[in-house]
Amino acid sequence: MSTDETIAQDDSNIDSMSATARRVLPFERPIFEMEEKLKQVERTGPPSAASRELIQNMREQIAKMKRNVFDHLDAWQTVQVARHENRPQTLDYIELVFDDFMELHGDRAFDDDRAIITGFAKLDDRKVLLVGQHKGRNFKERTEHNFGMAHPEGYRKALSKMQMAAKYGLPIVCLIDTGGAYPGIGAEERGQAYTIAYNLREMSQLATPIVCVVIGEGGSGGALGIGIGDHIAMMQFAYYSVISPEGCAGILWKNSKFADQAARALRFTSKDLLEFGVIDEIIREPPGAAHRDHRIAAANLKASLTQALRHLSGMEREQLVERRYEKFRKIGVFEESLITNVST
Amino acid sequence: MSTSPQQSEVSASQDLPRKRGVPEGLWIRCDGCHDTVFRKMVEKNLGVCPQAGCGHHFYVPAKSRIQQLLDEGSFEEWFAEILPLDPLSFHDKKPYRDRLRDEQQKSGLSEACLVGRGYLRGRPVVLGVTDSSFIMGSMGSVVGEKLTRAIEAATRLQLPLLIVSGSGGGARMHEGIYSLMQMGKVCAALGRFHEKKGLYISVLTNPTMGGVAASFASLGDVILAEPKALIGFAGPRVVQATCKIELPKGFQTSEFLLEHGFIDRIVARADLRSEIARIIDYCG
């Protein structure tokens, strides 16, 4: 049987693929199709020398296709990957990266906001406080976690646990994954703006190492609200933006349908932000992105966290806070003309 | 001490609402009472509608705001040499560079905020004012940098800090992630100022939204707001679209924030100077 015949034979099966395949992004489709064909070949008959070679060729081709597609994702495609339903989220990483997780609930004022998960955890032998935004995957989870969009009580919970961590010298790991802070009536009534502002100010002063990783969506102030740290990393296909591409398109293009154009204009991919000096590291994702292999994504995240915490734990506390100040202090691009007649 | 209005410092030339949508000419329409009022009367009245029972607070440009608040001729502008660039080569319907140039020409400002020092009823203060007419008063690198330097100077000089916020735009989209990070930068500077026991009075004016509300505007030791200003995190239309129910009456107004415990006082424009002076005397 020639390769062509195999492919032709398998085409009929594409539409009856598993649930996973229904969540295939348009630009992933050729890869999935090839993978399905490979499965068919692997299933048919005892391995002959010819089929072994075919399988080998197909595997190589798939790897190459993944590289071709994922090395050249544009900003809007990156957003789709960052929002992918199968992408590993905070609770997945708690399983795969950390041990001995002990959740801590509640903001001591109003509620236990499930959009942000907080608790003690161990990264190998290192004790940390973990703070992570969690969206949930199915309808039930998404409702419970409010799609990862925290209310003020979520930010307040996060800060109160972080302040406790600082008291006991525990380093803090923040996993960022939110479309944004929740834009609701209750959120406004309970001071969404104030709570985020307060977190920014207080996180800048916490005398303990803080490592922040954007694992999926870094949605504006809602992301930054747990994003002031000493080491800021992004997963390769995460994005981190001042506004959602839909929101930006709605305002500047007067129609959210231009989200793809807005996405490209905003320059918010991990590559952009590393180039701008806003983040310190890009954490590589497995071939075909994190949603295709949670374990590799988790292993890469773990390696990054371990190294960052090892580096930061050697620093004096005052030096750490000073360094964090300078880190944010230097961000900004402006022109400064030489005519200076000011003395302060 | 007399709390009479500060007519002497408010020149009649303050170029009142020359904002988009506000008609120029002898008469202007008041959004509060919907009456047509004589522009000169509004200007004389610090940009507040003179009609009985109205008191609508019009937008005032940053320069007029400074004249209203500070002792005459006492303002010394700082960091005026910091000018915007276009780090993303941002294009929407219009290139950001062109937008900046147009906004500069239209407003006579180089950017959306002015900072400096001056005297308020004889009390030295460091002052920052954002102007909601310059790209919606949004914060990009320049606003972030100027405010941060002003806060650092206030820390060094141990002076009270006064920031008057007016921003419908929050963090400026056209500078992308740089704008978002200004929120962190300014708040970190305020953290140090706070640690050194500096007094920060934040004055919220219509509108104060998004990334400006979610950073420096909300962090005052004392937060004052002008009446009926729109103040909040998410825009009302976004909230409406998310919740799909009718918004409560007066949602996100100064009065709403006062009721929910997020501001200290609502202060009419004519009283701002005297109230700020009193606060400085209590805390300074």
mmCIF file of all heavy atoms in Angstrom, chain B residues 135-182:
data_model
loop_
_atom_site.group_PDB
_atom_site.id
_atom_site.type_symbol
_atom_site.label_atom_id
_atom_site.label_comp_id
_atom_site.label_asym_id
_atom_site.label_seq_id
_atom_site.Cartn_x
_atom_site.Cartn_y
_atom_site.Cartn_z
ATOM 1 N N ILE B 135 -5.570 62.003 24.446
ATOM 2 C CA ILE B 135 -5.771 60.552 24.275
ATOM 3 C C ILE B 135 -6.467 59.981 25.511
ATOM 4 O O ILE B 135 -5.986 59.040 26.158
ATOM 5 C CB ILE B 135 -4.461 59.797 23.941
ATOM 6 C CG1 ILE B 135 -3.662 60.546 22.872
ATOM 7 C CG2 ILE B 135 -4.769 58.381 23.465
ATOM 8 C CD1 ILE B 135 -2.480 59.796 22.287
ATOM 9 N N MET B 136 -7.584 60.581 25.840
ATOM 10 C CA MET B 136 -8.427 60.141 26.962
ATOM 11 C C MET B 136 -7.690 60.181 28.316
ATOM 12 O O MET B 136 -8.044 59.447 29.238
ATOM 13 C CB MET B 136 -8.930 58.705 26.728
ATOM 14 C CG MET B 136 -9.634 58.465 25.407
ATOM 15 S SD MET B 136 -11.287 59.174 25.398
ATOM 16 C CE MET B 136 -12.150 57.962 26.391
ATOM 17 N N GLY B 137 -6.676 60.999 28.416
ATOM 18 C CA GLY B 137 -5.934 61.080 29.676
ATOM 19 C C GLY B 137 -5.246 59.785 30.039
ATOM 20 O O GLY B 137 -4.997 59.497 31.211
ATOM 21 N N SER B 138 -4.934 58.998 29.013
ATOM 22 C CA SER B 138 -4.409 57.661 29.278
ATOM 23 C C SER B 138 -2.943 57.696 29.674
ATOM 24 O O SER B 138 -2.206 58.622 29.332
ATOM 25 C CB SER B 138 -4.607 56.787 28.039
ATOM 26 O OG SER B 138 -4.015 57.388 26.914
ATOM 27 N N MET B 139 -2.523 56.652 30.377
ATOM 28 C CA MET B 139 -1.145 56.565 30.862
ATOM 29 C C MET B 139 -0.305 55.678 29.965
ATOM 30 O O MET B 139 -0.524 54.480 29.862
ATOM 31 C CB MET B 139 -1.113 56.013 32.290
ATOM 32 C CG MET B 139 0.300 55.730 32.789
ATOM 33 S SD MET B 139 0.440 55.595 34.580
ATOM 34 C CE MET B 139 -0.580 54.172 34.910
ATOM 35 N N GLY B 140 0.659 56.297 29.306
ATOM 36 C CA GLY B 140 1.687 55.557 28.597
ATOM 37 C C GLY B 140 3.006 55.789 29.336
ATOM 38 O O GLY B 140 3.012 56.187 30.506
ATOM 39 N N SER B 141 4.105 55.593 28.619
ATOM 40 C CA SER B 141 5.419 55.716 29.264
ATOM 41 C C SER B 141 5.664 57.106 29.838
ATOM 42 O O SER B 141 6.272 57.241 30.906
ATOM 43 C CB SER B 141 6.524 55.407 28.257
ATOM 44 O OG SER B 141 6.443 54.076 27.830
ATOM 45 N N VAL B 142 5.207 58.142 29.136
ATOM 46 C CA VAL B 142 5.523 59.500 29.584
ATOM 47 C C VAL B 142 4.772 59.840 30.880
ATOM 48 O O VAL B 142 5.359 60.337 31.836
ATOM 49 C CB VAL B 142 5.220 60.545 28.489
ATOM 50 C CG1 VAL B 142 5.365 61.963 29.031
ATOM 51 C CG2 VAL B 142 6.151 60.340 27.299
ATOM 52 N N VAL B 143 3.486 59.530 30.896
ATOM 53 C CA VAL B 143 2.714 59.795 32.117
ATOM 54 C C VAL B 143 3.312 59.000 33.283
ATOM 55 O O VAL B 143 3.513 59.525 34.380
ATOM 56 C CB VAL B 143 1.219 59.451 31.911
ATOM 57 C CG1 VAL B 143 0.445 59.542 33.220
ATOM 58 C CG2 VAL B 143 0.600 60.389 30.876
ATOM 59 N N GLY B 144 3.614 57.730 33.018
ATOM 60 C CA GLY B 144 4.196 56.885 34.068
ATOM 61 C C GLY B 144 5.517 57.437 34.574
ATOM 62 O O GLY B 144 5.766 57.502 35.782
ATOM 63 N N GLU B 145 6.362 57.867 33.645
ATOM 64 C CA GLU B 145 7.684 58.356 34.026
ATOM 65 C C GLU B 145 7.600 59.686 34.777
ATOM 66 O O GLU B 145 8.258 59.888 35.799
ATOM 67 C CB GLU B 145 8.563 58.502 32.776
ATOM 68 C CG GLU B 145 10.000 58.931 33.048
ATOM 69 C CD GLU B 145 10.824 57.863 33.766
ATOM 70 O OE1 GLU B 145 10.454 56.669 33.724
ATOM 71 O OE2 GLU B 145 11.840 58.248 34.401
ATOM 72 N N LYS B 146 6.775 60.596 34.260
ATOM 73 C CA LYS B 146 6.671 61.908 34.913
ATOM 74 C C LYS B 146 6.108 61.771 36.326
ATOM 75 O O LYS B 146 6.621 62.394 37.269
ATOM 76 C CB LYS B 146 5.764 62.837 34.096
ATOM 77 C CG LYS B 146 6.440 63.474 32.889
ATOM 78 C CD LYS B 146 5.389 64.257 32.111
ATOM 79 C CE LYS B 146 5.883 65.594 31.651
ATOM 80 N NZ LYS B 146 4.829 66.351 30.945
ATOM 81 N N LEU B 147 5.077 60.955 36.458
ATOM 82 C CA LEU B 147 4.496 60.779 37.795
ATOM 83 C C LEU B 147 5.495 60.109 38.736
ATOM 84 O O LEU B 147 5.633 60.501 39.892
ATOM 85 C CB LEU B 147 3.197 59.959 37.720
ATOM 86 C CG LEU B 147 1.984 60.667 37.112
ATOM 87 C CD1 LEU B 147 0.798 59.721 37.000
ATOM 88 C CD2 LEU B 147 1.582 61.897 37.935
ATOM 89 N N THR B 148 6.199 59.093 38.211
ATOM 90 C CA THR B 148 7.167 58.397 39.057
ATOM 91 C C THR B 148 8.256 59.366 39.522
ATOM 92 O O THR B 148 8.619 59.393 40.703
ATOM 93 C CB THR B 148 7.791 57.209 38.298
ATOM 94 O OG1 THR B 148 6.734 56.340 37.892
ATOM 95 C CG2 THR B 148 8.761 56.434 39.172
ATOM 96 N N ARG B 149 8.751 60.176 38.606
ATOM 97 C CA ARG B 149 9.791 61.138 39.005
ATOM 98 C C ARG B 149 9.250 62.152 40.006
ATOM 99 O O ARG B 149 9.946 62.557 40.941
ATOM 100 C CB ARG B 149 10.335 61.870 37.781
ATOM 101 C CG ARG B 149 11.200 60.972 36.933
ATOM 102 C CD ARG B 149 12.017 61.784 35.963
ATOM 103 N NE ARG B 149 12.543 60.932 34.914
ATOM 104 C CZ ARG B 149 13.308 61.362 33.915
ATOM 105 N NH1 ARG B 149 13.631 62.647 33.840
ATOM 106 N NH2 ARG B 149 13.753 60.534 33.013
ATOM 107 N N ALA B 150 8.001 62.559 39.794
ATOM 108 C CA ALA B 150 7.399 63.514 40.724
ATOM 109 C C ALA B 150 7.258 62.884 42.114
ATOM 110 O O ALA B 150 7.544 63.526 43.133
ATOM 111 C CB ALA B 150 6.039 63.968 40.202
ATOM 112 N N ILE B 151 6.834 61.629 42.141
ATOM 113 C CA ILE B 151 6.669 60.935 43.428
ATOM 114 C C ILE B 151 8.033 60.763 44.098
ATOM 115 O O ILE B 151 8.184 60.978 45.310
ATOM 116 C CB ILE B 151 5.987 59.556 43.222
ATOM 117 C CG1 ILE B 151 4.562 59.749 42.691
ATOM 118 C CG2 ILE B 151 5.975 58.757 44.522
ATOM 119 C CD1 ILE B 151 3.963 58.504 42.041
ATOM 120 N N GLU B 152 9.035 60.402 43.310
ATOM 121 C CA GLU B 152 10.389 60.248 43.877
ATOM 122 C C GLU B 152 10.895 61.583 44.416
ATOM 123 O O GLU B 152 11.540 61.634 45.472
ATOM 124 C CB GLU B 152 11.337 59.684 42.811
ATOM 125 C CG GLU B 152 11.076 58.207 42.535
ATOM 126 C CD GLU B 152 11.910 57.629 41.384
ATOM 127 O OE1 GLU B 152 12.393 58.415 40.542
ATOM 128 O OE2 GLU B 152 12.065 56.411 41.335
ATOM 129 N N ALA B 153 10.583 62.671 43.707
ATOM 130 C CA ALA B 153 11.008 63.992 44.180
ATOM 131 C C ALA B 153 10.282 64.352 45.474
ATOM 132 O O ALA B 153 10.898 64.864 46.425
ATOM 133 C CB ALA B 153 10.729 65.044 43.103
ATOM 134 N N ALA B 154 8.989 64.045 45.518
ATOM 135 C CA ALA B 154 8.224 64.328 46.741
ATOM 136 C C ALA B 154 8.786 63.533 47.920
ATOM 137 O O ALA B 154 8.839 64.019 49.054
ATOM 138 C CB ALA B 154 6.753 63.988 46.524
ATOM 139 N N THR B 155 9.234 62.315 47.620
ATOM 140 C CA THR B 155 9.820 61.468 48.662
ATOM 141 C C THR B 155 11.108 62.113 49.179
ATOM 142 O O THR B 155 11.325 62.243 50.382
ATOM 143 C CB THR B 155 10.137 60.064 48.097
ATOM 144 O OG1 THR B 155 8.996 59.576 47.393
ATOM 145 C CG2 THR B 155 10.503 59.093 49.205
ATOM 146 N N ARG B 156 11.929 62.536 48.234
ATOM 147 C CA ARG B 156 13.225 63.130 48.578
ATOM 148 C C ARG B 156 13.047 64.446 49.328
ATOM 149 O O ARG B 156 13.724 64.719 50.293
ATOM 150 C CB ARG B 156 13.989 63.376 47.263
ATOM 151 C CG ARG B 156 15.444 63.120 47.324
ATOM 152 C CD ARG B 156 16.094 62.984 45.953
ATOM 153 N NE ARG B 156 15.545 63.835 44.910
ATOM 154 C CZ ARG B 156 15.011 63.359 43.778
ATOM 155 N NH1 ARG B 156 14.922 62.067 43.563
ATOM 156 N NH2 ARG B 156 14.559 64.186 42.865
ATOM 157 N N LEU B 157 12.118 65.256 48.825
ATOM 158 C CA LEU B 157 11.930 66.595 49.395
ATOM 159 C C LEU B 157 10.986 66.585 50.597
ATOM 160 O O LEU B 157 10.771 67.625 51.215
ATOM 161 C CB LEU B 157 11.364 67.543 48.324
ATOM 162 C CG LEU B 157 12.221 67.739 47.083
ATOM 163 C CD1 LEU B 157 11.431 68.447 45.984
ATOM 164 C CD2 LEU B 157 13.488 68.511 47.422
ATOM 165 N N GLN B 158 10.422 65.416 50.875
ATOM 166 C CA GLN B 158 9.460 65.269 51.971
ATOM 167 C C GLN B 158 8.325 66.281 51.874
ATOM 168 O O GLN B 158 7.995 66.976 52.830
ATOM 169 C CB GLN B 158 10.179 65.391 53.318
ATOM 170 C CG GLN B 158 11.198 64.271 53.497
ATOM 171 C CD GLN B 158 11.893 64.339 54.840
ATOM 172 O OE1 GLN B 158 12.593 65.309 55.137
ATOM 173 N NE2 GLN B 158 11.679 63.335 55.657
ATOM 174 N N LEU B 159 7.745 66.342 50.676
ATOM 175 C CA LEU B 159 6.633 67.255 50.439
ATOM 176 C C LEU B 159 5.337 66.463 50.252
ATOM 177 O O LEU B 159 5.374 65.332 49.765
ATOM 178 C CB LEU B 159 6.888 68.082 49.174
ATOM 179 C CG LEU B 159 7.935 69.174 49.271
ATOM 180 C CD1 LEU B 159 8.095 69.858 47.925
ATOM 181 C CD2 LEU B 159 7.565 70.188 50.348
ATOM 182 N N PRO B 160 4.207 67.068 50.603
ATOM 183 C CA PRO B 160 2.930 66.416 50.297
ATOM 184 C C PRO B 160 2.773 66.267 48.782
ATOM 185 O O PRO B 160 3.239 67.117 48.016
ATOM 186 C CB PRO B 160 1.881 67.385 50.843
ATOM 187 C CG PRO B 160 2.601 68.297 51.760
ATOM 188 C CD PRO B 160 4.024 68.358 51.288
ATOM 189 N N LEU B 161 2.122 65.197 48.394
ATOM 190 C CA LEU B 161 1.911 64.901 46.975
ATOM 191 C C LEU B 161 0.426 64.995 46.666
ATOM 192 O O LEU B 161 -0.408 64.468 47.410
ATOM 193 C CB LEU B 161 2.410 63.475 46.694
ATOM 194 C CG LEU B 161 2.108 62.876 45.321
ATOM 195 C CD1 LEU B 161 2.930 63.552 44.235
ATOM 196 C CD2 LEU B 161 2.392 61.373 45.333
ATOM 197 N N LEU B 162 0.145 65.702 45.594
ATOM 198 C CA LEU B 162 -1.241 65.877 45.179
ATOM 199 C C LEU B 162 -1.335 65.449 43.721
ATOM 200 O O LEU B 162 -0.611 65.981 42.878
ATOM 201 C CB LEU B 162 -1.573 67.365 45.349
ATOM 202 C CG LEU B 162 -2.935 67.883 44.919
ATOM 203 C CD1 LEU B 162 -4.036 67.205 45.711
ATOM 204 C CD2 LEU B 162 -2.989 69.396 45.129
ATOM 205 N N ILE B 163 -2.181 64.467 43.433
ATOM 206 C CA ILE B 163 -2.375 64.083 42.029
ATOM 207 C C ILE B 163 -3.859 64.212 41.691
ATOM 208 O O ILE B 163 -4.719 63.645 42.377
ATOM 209 C CB ILE B 163 -1.877 62.658 41.724
ATOM 210 C CG1 ILE B 163 -0.374 62.534 42.019
ATOM 211 C CG2 ILE B 163 -2.141 62.298 40.247
ATOM 212 C CD1 ILE B 163 0.224 61.160 41.729
ATOM 213 N N VAL B 164 -4.129 64.989 40.661
ATOM 214 C CA VAL B 164 -5.502 65.157 40.180
ATOM 215 C C VAL B 164 -5.658 64.274 38.944
ATOM 216 O O VAL B 164 -4.983 64.492 37.934
ATOM 217 C CB VAL B 164 -5.783 66.633 39.817
ATOM 218 C CG1 VAL B 164 -7.251 66.796 39.397
ATOM 219 C CG2 VAL B 164 -5.459 67.550 40.994
ATOM 220 N N SER B 165 -6.505 63.268 39.052
ATOM 221 C CA SER B 165 -6.647 62.310 37.955
ATOM 222 C C SER B 165 -7.881 62.598 37.124
ATOM 223 O O SER B 165 -8.954 62.846 37.660
ATOM 224 C CB SER B 165 -6.771 60.885 38.501
ATOM 225 O OG SER B 165 -5.642 60.552 39.244
ATOM 226 N N GLY B 166 -7.707 62.513 35.830
ATOM 227 C CA GLY B 166 -8.826 62.541 34.903
ATOM 228 C C GLY B 166 -8.406 61.690 33.735
ATOM 229 O O GLY B 166 -7.509 62.055 32.973
ATOM 230 N N SER B 167 -8.997 60.510 33.617
ATOM 231 C CA SER B 167 -8.593 59.609 32.548
ATOM 232 C C SER B 167 -9.725 58.651 32.221
ATOM 233 O O SER B 167 -10.104 57.822 33.034
ATOM 234 C CB SER B 167 -7.353 58.808 32.961
ATOM 235 O OG SER B 167 -7.154 57.762 32.033
ATOM 236 N N GLY B 168 -10.258 58.788 31.026
ATOM 237 C CA GLY B 168 -11.267 57.826 30.592
ATOM 238 C C GLY B 168 -10.597 56.607 29.999
ATOM 239 O O GLY B 168 -11.209 55.569 29.817
ATOM 240 N N GLY B 169 -9.310 56.749 29.687
ATOM 241 C CA GLY B 169 -8.634 55.707 28.918
ATOM 242 C C GLY B 169 -7.845 54.699 29.730
ATOM 243 O O GLY B 169 -7.539 53.624 29.250
ATOM 244 N N GLY B 170 -7.492 55.041 30.978
ATOM 245 C CA GLY B 170 -6.682 54.098 31.746
ATOM 246 C C GLY B 170 -5.289 53.954 31.166
ATOM 247 O O GLY B 170 -4.660 54.943 30.795
ATOM 248 N N ALA B 171 -4.802 52.722 31.095
ATOM 249 C CA ALA B 171 -3.491 52.475 30.496
ATOM 250 C C ALA B 171 -3.622 52.602 28.970
ATOM 251 O O ALA B 171 -4.567 52.093 28.385
ATOM 252 C CB ALA B 171 -2.985 51.100 30.882
ATOM 253 N N ARG B 172 -2.672 53.286 28.359
ATOM 254 C CA ARG B 172 -2.799 53.615 26.935
ATOM 255 C C ARG B 172 -2.496 52.418 26.035
ATOM 256 O O ARG B 172 -1.372 51.914 26.012
ATOM 257 C CB ARG B 172 -1.881 54.793 26.590
ATOM 258 C CG ARG B 172 -2.114 55.321 25.177
ATOM 259 C CD ARG B 172 -1.232 56.519 24.878
ATOM 260 N NE ARG B 172 -1.540 57.642 25.764
ATOM 261 C CZ ARG B 172 -0.780 58.723 25.888
ATOM 262 N NH1 ARG B 172 0.324 58.845 25.172
ATOM 263 N NH2 ARG B 172 -1.126 59.689 26.712
ATOM 264 N N MET B 173 -3.485 52.016 25.261
ATOM 265 C CA MET B 173 -3.347 50.836 24.403
ATOM 266 C C MET B 173 -2.212 50.954 23.394
ATOM 267 O O MET B 173 -1.540 49.980 23.082
ATOM 268 C CB MET B 173 -4.644 50.631 23.613
ATOM 269 C CG MET B 173 -5.809 50.244 24.457
ATOM 270 S SD MET B 173 -7.318 50.210 23.470
ATOM 271 C CE MET B 173 -7.712 51.940 23.370
ATOM 272 N N HIS B 174 -2.005 52.170 22.900
ATOM 273 C CA HIS B 174 -1.062 52.360 21.794
ATOM 274 C C HIS B 174 0.385 52.067 22.182
ATOM 275 O O HIS B 174 1.234 51.931 21.321
ATOM 276 C CB HIS B 174 -1.150 53.789 21.253
ATOM 277 C CG HIS B 174 -2.563 54.263 21.076
ATOM 278 N ND1 HIS B 174 -3.378 54.575 22.141
ATOM 279 C CD2 HIS B 174 -3.302 54.442 19.967
ATOM 280 C CE1 HIS B 174 -4.561 54.953 21.682
ATOM 281 N NE2 HIS B 174 -4.539 54.876 20.376
ATOM 282 N N GLU B 175 0.657 52.011 23.491
ATOM 283 C CA GLU B 175 2.016 51.658 23.914
ATOM 284 C C GLU B 175 2.038 50.275 24.560
ATOM 285 O O GLU B 175 3.023 49.897 25.211
ATOM 286 C CB GLU B 175 2.588 52.727 24.848
ATOM 287 C CG GLU B 175 2.816 54.056 24.127
ATOM 288 C CD GLU B 175 3.418 55.125 25.031
ATOM 289 O OE1 GLU B 175 4.113 54.783 26.000
ATOM 290 O OE2 GLU B 175 3.176 56.308 24.753
ATOM 291 N N GLY B 176 0.948 49.541 24.395
ATOM 292 C CA GLY B 176 0.912 48.127 24.766
ATOM 293 C C GLY B 176 1.377 47.851 26.185
ATOM 294 O O GLY B 176 0.984 48.524 27.134
ATOM 295 N N ILE B 177 2.225 46.851 26.296
ATOM 296 C CA ILE B 177 2.669 46.358 27.601
ATOM 297 C C ILE B 177 3.421 47.437 28.391
ATOM 298 O O ILE B 177 3.399 47.454 29.623
ATOM 299 C CB ILE B 177 3.546 45.087 27.431
ATOM 300 C CG1 ILE B 177 3.704 44.340 28.760
ATOM 301 C CG2 ILE B 177 4.921 45.431 26.858
ATOM 302 C CD1 ILE B 177 2.459 43.616 29.206
ATOM 303 N N TYR B 178 4.072 48.358 27.684
ATOM 304 C CA TYR B 178 4.775 49.434 28.393
ATOM 305 C C TYR B 178 3.798 50.228 29.264
ATOM 306 O O TYR B 178 4.126 50.638 30.368
ATOM 307 C CB TYR B 178 5.448 50.388 27.404
ATOM 308 C CG TYR B 178 6.635 49.794 26.702
ATOM 309 C CD1 TYR B 178 6.587 49.498 25.342
ATOM 310 C CD2 TYR B 178 7.817 49.552 27.388
ATOM 311 C CE1 TYR B 178 7.680 48.962 24.679
ATOM 312 C CE2 TYR B 178 8.915 49.006 26.741
ATOM 313 C CZ TYR B 178 8.838 48.715 25.387
ATOM 314 O OH TYR B 178 9.926 48.183 24.756
ATOM 315 N N SER B 179 2.585 50.443 28.736
ATOM 316 C CA SER B 179 1.589 51.199 29.497
ATOM 317 C C SER B 179 1.142 50.423 30.729
ATOM 318 O O SER B 179 1.033 50.973 31.816
ATOM 319 C CB SER B 179 0.370 51.503 28.629
ATOM 320 O OG SER B 179 0.748 52.246 27.496
ATOM 321 N N LEU B 180 0.892 49.131 30.528
ATOM 322 C CA LEU B 180 0.459 48.306 31.669
ATOM 323 C C LEU B 180 1.509 48.365 32.784
ATOM 324 O O LEU B 180 1.185 48.501 33.959
ATOM 325 C CB LEU B 180 0.233 46.858 31.227
ATOM 326 C CG LEU B 180 -0.359 45.935 32.296
ATOM 327 C CD1 LEU B 180 -1.799 46.319 32.611
ATOM 328 C CD2 LEU B 180 -0.292 44.474 31.873
ATOM 329 N N MET B 181 2.773 48.288 32.389
ATOM 330 C CA MET B 181 3.846 48.246 33.377
ATOM 331 C C MET B 181 4.028 49.582 34.102
ATOM 332 O O MET B 181 4.605 49.638 35.178
ATOM 333 C CB MET B 181 5.159 47.810 32.717
ATOM 334 C CG MET B 181 5.122 46.378 32.232
ATOM 335 S SD MET B 181 4.863 45.217 33.596
ATOM 336 C CE MET B 181 3.984 43.904 32.771
ATOM 337 N N GLN B 182 3.540 50.669 33.490
ATOM 338 C CA GLN B 182 3.608 51.963 34.193
ATOM 339 C C GLN B 182 2.783 51.907 35.469
ATOM 340 O O GLN B 182 3.098 52.578 36.459
ATOM 341 C CB GLN B 182 3.113 53.119 33.305
ATOM 342 C CG GLN B 182 3.872 53.308 32.006
ATOM 343 C CD GLN B 182 5.375 53.355 32.187
ATOM 344 O OE1 GLN B 182 5.890 54.161 32.974
ATOM 345 N NE2 GLN B 182 6.077 52.488 31.489
#
